[in-house]
Amino acid sequence: MGFLCSDALIAGVPLVPWLFAYITFAMGLGIRAREVARAFVRPLPMLAALAAAHILLPLAARGAGGALFGPDSPYTVGFALFMLIPLGISSLMWVVVSGGRPALITALVTFSSLLSPLVVPLGLDLMFGAAIEMDTRGIMLDLLLIVVLPTAAGIALNEATRGRAHAALQPGAAFVSKLAFLAVIVLNAAAIGPHVHALGGAVPAVAAAVVTLVALGYAAGCIAALPWRSPDLTATLAYGCGIRNISLGIVIGLEYFPPEAAMPVVLSILIQQPGAAVFHNLLRRIRGTGTGG
């Protein structure tokens, strides 16, 4: 719809940051401070996942993009941006159905989101430097306003009401946040629609690279969990590293970079959730083999 109805929808693009701020507020509304604090009792698994997600994978993304399109290509910037954006809240659903650790993934997503004003601009600056024009201050301010403050407000409201706000508001808030997420995708696709024709034959190569990076994310999470030899921790860290906050990546990509830089993140919409389902089935097969099933 976004691509096909670009002319009719593009006027709504300025609403995207506000919609995204609501999404992160609704996410925060479902988080208790003690859930986040519990993960810091044994912080090494969380630190291993964050290092894999925000250091190793962005470097791999830059290397892959540089090999395919050149080190300073907007596509390469987009690959790196895809791996620098915070972890996605939908990972919580997959961790629950895979028998992982909900409290740990909640802490990972929250901490990754709160760090994003530092991680995203600093990571891009270290990898690309003067090769790209970047409003570092603007990116940090946007991430603060649409990620950190709404998340903190949601957590604070939930804490102040001792969880009653979550019980009373979350059913409706979660439904509206899904509609807001749909609107973010549609409006961002509308914004990038006029530029798609200029991408030409690059789209298949970009899509193949995104599939590879998503797979690398799951592999990195599994490797990060190896020292603990725990199936539930493996599932948690794998989904943590494999699922990213795509809508935020599109917002930042379209606001501060050429449309080509947003293309890897846009294409990941089609890949991320099917990839999570494939990994879920892979986990079931591995566990079945391990128990003699």
Side-chain angles (χ1 to χ4, degrees), residues 223-292:
I223 292 170
L226 278 178
W228 293 275
R229 299 182 180 275
S230 168
D232 59 334
L233 185 62
T234 298
T236 304
L237 299 193
Y239 280 114
C241 292
I243 295 182
R244 300 301 175 117
N245 194 330
I246 292 175
S247 51
L248 176 63
I250 299 173
V251 172
I252 298 299
L254 288 177
E255 178 73 20
Y256 292 100
F257 301 103
E260 295 88 343
M263 182 54 63
V265 191
V266 172
L267 290 175
S268 68
I269 293 170
L270 305 174
I271 296 163
Q272 184 161 268
Q273 295 303 323
V278 169
F279 182 73
H280 177 65
N281 285 324
L282 181 62
L283 275 180
R284 291 177 60 188
R285 290 176 180 271
I286 292 172
R287 289 173 178 174
T289 303
T291 56

Side-chain angles (χ1 to χ4, degrees), residues 25-100:
F25 171 76
M27 180 193 79
L29 200 60
I31 297 171
R32 295 298 302 270
R34 65 171 178 264
E35 294 176 341
V36 179
R38 196 179 300 146
F40 286 92
V41 175
R42 294 179 179 176
L44 287 181
M46 186 166 69
L47 293 175
L50 290 171
H54 293 312
I55 298 176
L56 299 180
L57 287 171
L59 291 174
R62 193 194 191 291
L68 287 171
F69 300 104
D72 300 326
S73 165
Y75 297 118
T76 304
V77 175
F79 293 138
L81 176 64
F82 177 48
M83 287 299 166
L84 284 168
I85 54 178
L87 312 182
I89 189 60
S90 63
S91 58
L92 175 60
M93 175 192 74
W94 288 104
V95 166
V96 170
V97 301
S98 299

